[in-house]
């Protein structure tokens, strides 16, 4: 199951509307969904019986009987969450009301191949699950954000750049076998978009959330739900060709991709070429904060390149907000350059009420999104991990 399987009017959709504040009663849900009151009542009852919603108290009357208020239940249920980077694994347990428990991060090289990564991920999530159960919490499942393309079914990794051996690896099913829990898998930028949307922008319906770190990606929230596209590649801006990249070869096999000049890896390589110590986004931010001119210039140009690509996205998609996340979003010259390019290249109608800001959830955004994606499904949708064809 993918992070986007939230059909309009489903129990998961009802739960999301209550969780993000769009609806606080059955009457609100009827207005939001356009469904019959009897259908909404069935969905609400399903969620109440599953322990995901509570209904109590009385809200303000709109001319009739005072409605009972719906709230997300805090019943001790959590989802395990993992946000994977090319060189780290960050884990935590996410509760129904958005709290995060036992966050931990370890250095790990995903480029070493899928089997070592599977072992490390299973070990860390198993230990995390044991800690949650020892604390009296119920573990619903696990959500994983992976730094590369994931197929439309949310089961396999598809041709990730710079990661030999990962193509078609069935990470979801292999990890579900190891954990004995349902697993939900999606691209890391999609998970970050879900987390930022839920935690910081719950009432906005249309967002583009960019993850600018070692690589570059984005997640798209359309009409309040994650949009993954026909094959799961929606939001992949890293391999759009930009003038600044000229004929630079990219790991995807093309030339001139945004990633070759605007990613953290590209900026760090350029700084090393000038004799500066820069191996990570943290090093880049340190140099920018210290006023190092080469670092500041490269980061500002990266922002302009990212902004040039996003200008096309904004004109086409017309979002309410562009949110810049990932480690490089901490560099003010990058954020300012993106903002400047959007105002310069987009139609006034597209930018007149457009919000362009840095993300607020920091490194926990991916964990929040992965956990939220698991928890918003009714318990009946989980069940045991299902057998999958071709499981390796």
């Amino acid at each position: 199951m993918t992070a986007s399987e939230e059909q309009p009017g489903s129990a998961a959709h009802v739960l999301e509307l209550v969780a993000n504040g769009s609806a606080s009663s059955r009457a609100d849900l009827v207005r939001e969904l356009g469904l019959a009151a009897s259908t909404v009542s069935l969905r609400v009852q399903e969620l109440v019986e599953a322990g995901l919603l509570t209904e109590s108290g009385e809200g303000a009357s709109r001319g009739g009987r005072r409605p009972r208020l719906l709230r997300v239940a805090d019943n001790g249920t959590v989802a395990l969450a993992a946000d994977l980077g090319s060189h780290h694994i960050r884990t935590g347990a996410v509760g129904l009301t958005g709290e995060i428990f036992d966050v931990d991060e370890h250095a790990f090289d995903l480029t070493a191949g899928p089997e070592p990564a599977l072992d490390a991920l299973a070990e860390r999530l198993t230990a995390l699950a044991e800690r949650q159960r020892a604390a009296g919490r119920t573990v619903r499942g696990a959500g994983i954000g992976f730094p590369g393309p994931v197929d439309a079914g949310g089961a396999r990794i598809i041709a990730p750049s710079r990661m030999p051996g990962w193509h078609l690896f069935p990470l979801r099913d292999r990890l579900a076998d190891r954990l004995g829990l349902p697993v939900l898998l999606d691209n890391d930028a999609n998970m970050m978009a879900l987390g930022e949307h839920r935690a910081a922008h719950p009432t906005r319906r249309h967002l583009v959330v960019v993850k600018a770190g070692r690589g570059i990606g984005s997640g798209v929230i359309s009409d309040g739900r994650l949009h993954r596209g026909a094959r799961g590649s929606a939001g992949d801006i890293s391999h759009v060709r930009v003038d600044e990249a000229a004929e630079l070869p990219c790991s995807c096999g093309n030339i001139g991709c945004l990633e070759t000049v605007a990613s953290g890896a590209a900026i760090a390589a350029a700084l090393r070429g000038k004799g500066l110590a820069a191996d990570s986004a943290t090093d880049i931010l340190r140099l920018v904060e210290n006023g190092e001119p080469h670092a500041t210039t490269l980061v500002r140009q990266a922002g302009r390149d990212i902004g040039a690509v996003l200008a096309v996205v904004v004109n086409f998609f017309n979002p309410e907000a562009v949110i810049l996340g990932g480690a490089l979003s901490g560099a003010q010259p990058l954020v300012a350059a993106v903002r400047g390019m959007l105002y310069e290249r987009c139609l006034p109608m597209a930018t007149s009420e457009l919000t362009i800001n840095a993300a607020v959830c920091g490194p926990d955004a991916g964990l929040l999104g992965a956990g939220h994606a698991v928890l918003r499904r009714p318990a009946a949708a989980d069940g045991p991990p299902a057998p999958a064809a071709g499981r390796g």
Side-chain angles (χ1 to χ4, degrees):
M1 180 173 290
T2 70
S4 62
E5 288 184 354
E6 178 189 292
Q7 298 301 318
S10 66
H13 191 198
V14 168
L15 180 62
E16 173 65 8
L17 290 173
V18 176
N20 68 25
S22 297
S24 60
S25 68
R26 298 189 187 210
D28 289 345
L29 289 168
V30 169
R31 283 190 292 271
E32 285 284 335
L33 297 170
L35 298 176
S38 58
T39 302
V40 168
S41 291
L42 286 173
R43 299 287 186 269
V44 169
Q45 191 60 35
E46 178 184 348
L47 291 165
V48 169
E49 291 175 356
L52 298 179
L53 287 183
T54 62
E55 192 172 28
S56 60
E58 291 186 339
S61 172
R62 296 191 180 185
R65 186 171 59 184
R66 293 166 67 88
R68 301 185 72 195
L69 296 177
L70 295 168
R71 295 183 178 88
V72 175
D74 184 6
N75 59 6
T77 297
V78 297
L80 310 180
D83 183 25
L84 309 184
S86 58
H87 290 81
H88 76 268
I89 295 177
R90 185 177 179 87
T91 57
V94 179
L96 281 163
T97 54
E99 63 273 75
I100 308 179
F101 306 99
D102 298 315
V103 175
D104 202 1
E105 184 169 326
H106 293 268
F108 189 86
D109 186 3
L110 286 186
T111 66
E115 294 295 345
L118 176 64
D119 289 341
L121 190 56
E123 178 183 350
R124 298 197 184 286
L125 290 179
T126 297
L128 178 62
E130 290 172 353
R131 288 197 294 274
Q132 303 319 299
R133 291 168 181 139
R137 303 182 188 111
T138 300
V139 178
R140 168 70 62 77
I144 313 297
F146 185 86
V150 175
D151 69 13
R156 298 172 182 268
I157 310 302
I158 303 295
S161 299
R162 302 180 303 277
M163 291 188 185
W166 278 98
H167 181 53
L168 297 182
F169 185 76
L171 180 58
R172 182 192 66 186
D173 297 326
R174 290 287 299 278
L175 186 58
D177 281 345
R178 297 283 290 271
L179 298 178
L181 291 167
V183 171
L184 188 153
L185 173 68
D186 210 332
N187 171 262
D188 62 340
N190 285 343
M191 291 302 198
M192 187 186 75
L194 282 172
E196 276 290 323
H197 181 230
R198 171 71 185 276
H201 307 276
T203 61
R204 295 186 186 274
R205 307 297 294 172
H206 308 284
L207 290 87
V208 175
V209 183
V210 178
K211 184 172 186 178
R214 188 172 184 84
I216 301 175
S218 72
V220 179
I221 302 295
S222 177
D223 197 23
R225 296 188 293 276
L226 179 67
H227 176 72
R228 299 182 75 246
R231 298 295 302 277
S233 66
D236 189 353
I237 63 173
S238 59
H239 300 292
V240 175
R241 189 164 185 171
V242 295
D243 292 341
E244 188 70 18
E247 300 297 313
L248 291 175
C250 181
S251 59
C252 73
N254 287 328
I255 58 173
C257 294
L258 177 66
E259 180 179 291
T260 65
V261 290
S263 66
I267 295 171
L271 290 171
R272 290 194 299 271
K274 296 181 180 298
L276 297 168
D279 294 317
S280 66
T282 300
D283 295 332
I284 296 169
L285 293 179
R286 173 179 50 79
L287 290 169
V288 171
E289 289 169 359
N290 289 337
E292 207 294 315
H294 294 300
T296 302
T297 298
L298 287 170
V299 165
R300 183 176 290 116
Q301 183 59 51
R304 290 183 61 81
D305 293 332
I306 294 170
V309 172
L310 288 177
V312 178
V313 175
V314 168
N315 277 332
F316 178 79
F317 177 53
N318 189 206
E320 297 166 84
V322 171
I323 306 301
L324 303 172
L328 289 182
S329 68
Q332 285 304 310
L334 182 139
V335 177
V338 170
R339 184 180 289 116
M341 287 299 284
L342 290 180
Y343 283 122
E344 176 185 327
R345 296 198 176 188
C346 291
L347 294 169
M349 185 175 180
T351 58
S352 61
E353 297 183 7
L354 178 68
T355 297
I356 309 165
N357 283 327
V360 299
C361 294
D364 288 337
L367 296 181
L368 286 167
H372 169 54
V374 173
L375 291 171
R376 69 182 176 185
R377 296 181 298 171
D382 293 337
R391 180 177 293 178

